[in-house]
Amino acid sequence: MSSPSSALPAVANAPVLSAIAAEIGTPVYVYDAALIRTAYRAFADGLASHPHAIHYALKANSTLALVRLLRTSGAQADANSGGEIEVALRAGFIPEQIVFTGVGKTADELDQAVSLGVKAINAESPGELDRIAARAVALSTTVRVALRVNPDIDAKSHPHISTGLKTNKFGMPLAEVRQLYRDHARQPGLEPVGLHIHVGSQITSLEPLTRAAERAVDLGRQLRDDGIGIEHLDLGGGLGISYDGSPVPTIAEYAAAILPAVTGSPFSIVIEPGRALVGAAGVLLATVIDLKQYEGGLRFAVLDTGMTELMRPALYGAYHRIVPIEPRPGDLVPYEIVGPLCESSDIFGRNRMLPPLEVGDRLAILDAGAYGSAMASTYNRRPLPAEVLLDAHNHDATTARRHDGKAWRVIRRRQTIDELLSTEL
Ligand code: LLP
């Protein structure tokens, strides 16, 4: 018979995670550079037969060192705000490598993108096309634009992260796009070069992504018939990862699912993956700070991390596996794994079967590389957590620490309470 704890997934790099938690403290995010490089390579290899550009969606995790890592791996950038454009530039991207997306762009953000000359602004509405044109004319330049199309496709993902239904706020309805290009995209200041489609996130069935690509190709051809020089189709991001260990489509399968739609077409493709590049590469380390059990009731393990550091469980009911870094011997028992915040939704997992825990034990919350640190807040005046990168390459020998043959370095130190308060007058 297998030991009770064999039901738990093993934590990769456990000795080095323990060393990091001991030295840096918790909560701390730890990312594995090798996994990010491998995921990037899988996209690049999968799409190799067709002209393509892989624009990392910074919103998934815009910590500078990770954005740089993706740039040096060969990625380009998808920015969703003026702040993300700035991060992309500081990470070394040139404007021609940045696409700028976003359901609402302020006048300042449009000015920033127009004056930089980004690769494309993904426009959301006829009004926005007009505003971009006006800024371009005022600055005596021409801006490359792609209109975001809402294809009315159900991505079968969580309702909060599905974007391609006509009830969602994103883009313009497919049936109206041809007319919109005729009426709004041919004005001075605009160079319509693409179409943009993104149907949602954490998509684990490839069929909606294939269908979206087919619709983009059809529409792109119609626009070319109208004399509009569409060059690229931006198919967005959206490929999911496995949060519970069950099989999901691989990056290679994703590539194989969209390539038939575009092969033989005159269009190059842009994709904007976020989660699939960084999600599985990150863990959030925490320490058990309290344990309690109601009489005959639930057994709670309170962590020093909560929805402030990783909001996904509280916001979407998202499942993340949770494992002790160094499991104690003993039978598995059910725990409510909760955070320290004054919110009932601040729960990481209910009824989690874990070996016995003691105060001071370290847990790893898995698959936290995407939409973890990027969505962190300082609610309850909790400073933002530290972040660490494990990387065998590109380490300055003077700054990298080593443990168990692994090199690591702090890529974002823990915010201090003074820094948190520094903007207040
Ligand atoms: N492109 C656009 C236009 C997007 O809106 C998104 C994500 C992406 C690309 C990247 O999608 P990905 O490849 O990462 O699925 N906070 C949520 C996810 C929100 C996704 C928003 N848009 C979560 O934690 O699940």
Side-chain angles (χ1 to χ4, degrees):
M1 215 179 101
S2 58
S3 76
S5 58
S6 66
L8 291 173
V11 185
N13 303 311
V16 67
L17 295 184
S18 286
I20 291 167
E23 185 168 337
I24 304 299
T26 55
V28 58
Y29 276 99
V30 183
Y31 309 107
D32 187 338
L35 293 179
I36 297 174
R37 291 196 184 94
T38 301
Y40 178 80
R41 222 9 43 237
F43 277 108
D45 290 347
L47 296 175
S49 66
H50 193 84
H52 68 273
I54 300 162
H55 285 249
Y56 170 54
L58 264 71
K59 61 172 76 69
N61 190 321
S62 57
T63 301
L64 269 168
L66 294 193
V67 181
R68 282 197 200 102
L69 173 65
L70 279 152
R71 181 179 62 75
T72 54
S73 299
Q76 303 190 44
D78 165 32
N80 204 71
S81 67
E84 285 188 355
I85 291 177
E86 193 56 41
V87 170
L89 294 172
R90 290 185 197 200
F93 288 104
I94 56 170
E96 291 74 13
Q97 294 176 309
I98 301 172
V99 292
F100 181 32
T101 312
V103 76
K105 306 179 190 75
T106 64
D108 284 349
E109 287 174 322
L110 287 179
D111 263 2
Q112 180 187 11
V114 169
S115 54
L116 281 168
V118 296
K119 173 165 162 174
I121 300 182
N122 292 330
E124 291 273 343
S125 69
E128 189 171 87
L129 282 173
D130 294 347
R131 285 191 291 277
I132 297 167
R135 290 317 300 157
V137 169
L139 293 165
S140 311
T141 183
T142 304
V143 180
R144 291 175 289 271
V145 289
L147 190 62
R148 179 160 180 180
V149 182
N150 186 322
D152 199 22
I153 288 175
D154 184 358
K156 302 190 183 77
S157 182
H158 189 284
H160 289 189
I161 51 176
S162 289
T163 49
L165 284 173
K166 63 173 174 238
T167 47
N168 296 132
K169 65 182 176 179
F170 301 93
M172 290 299 294
L174 189 98
E176 293 173 34
V177 167
R178 211 169 164 182
Q179 193 61 41
L180 283 173
Y181 266 93
R182 286 196 204 121
D183 294 347
H184 294 266
R186 287 205 262 227
Q187 51 187 315
L190 298 187
E191 185 189 352
V193 292
L195 272 176
H196 180 224
I197 286 194
H198 169 81
V199 294
S201 194
Q202 186 50 22
I203 299 172
T204 52
S205 126
L206 294 174
E207 185 268 336
L209 294 165
T210 303
R211 210 139 41 93
E214 289 165 354
R215 291 197 184 163
V217 171
D218 286 347
L219 186 55
R221 288 188 193 281
Q222 290 170 17
L223 291 169
R224 277 172 89 104
D225 290 346
D226 295 343
I228 293 162
I230 299 298
E231 295 161 10
H232 76 251
L233 305 177
D234 182 338
L235 302 176
L239 179 64
I241 61 171
S242 176
Y243 283 100
D244 63 4
S246 59
V248 295
T250 63
I251 293 171
E253 287 165 347
Y254 160 82
I258 58 171
L259 277 179
V262 294
T263 301
S265 79
F267 309 113
S268 65
I269 54 171
V270 165
I271 57 165
E272 303 169 342
R275 187 186 325 258
L277 285 169
V278 296
V283 297
L284 172 60
L285 303 186
T287 303
V288 177
I289 53 174
D290 195 16
L291 290 163
K292 63 182 172 185
Q293 184 166 19
Y294 302 152
E295 188 120 5
L298 299 173
R299 192 185 280 105
F300 290 91
V302 184
L303 308 186
D304 63 352
T305 190
M307 62 190 283
T308 37
E309 289 74 38
L310 180 63
M311 197 194 253
R312 306 191 67 258
L315 194 57
Y316 317 114
Y319 180 90
H320 284 259
R321 289 171 290 181
I322 304 171
V323 260
I325 301 178
E326 294 170 31
R328 293 177 183 279
D331 290 340
L332 302 188
V333 287
Y335 281 100
E336 306 287 297
I337 308 289
V338 304
L341 285 108
C342 54
E343 296 279 336
S344 299
S345 60
D346 185 31
I347 299 181
F348 284 120
R350 291 187 178 279
N351 198 25
R352 295 300 180 92
M353 298 304 289
L354 295 177
L357 297 175
E358 290 184 16
V359 168
D361 284 359
R362 261 68 198 234
L363 300 182
I365 302 174
L366 306 189
D367 305 306
Y371 307 108
S373 89
M375 292 174 77
S377 81
T378 58
Y379 182 43
N380 283 199
R381 293 295 197 181
R382 293 167 56 81
L384 295 172
E387 295 176 59
V388 163
L389 184 64
L390 293 179
D391 191 358
H393 307 293
N394 299 334
H395 267 305
D396 175 349
T398 56
T399 56
R401 327 264 227 290
R402 267 169 209 287
H403 193 274
D404 197 34
K406 302 269 177 191
W408 58 274
R409 72 188 160 100
V410 176
I411 54 172
R412 182 187 211 166
R413 63 175 171 70
R414 190 178 311 287
Q415 192 178 36
T416 66
I417 191 74
D418 286 336
E419 286 164 339
L420 195 162
L421 290 168
S422 64
T423 49
E424 295 182 32
L425 307 176

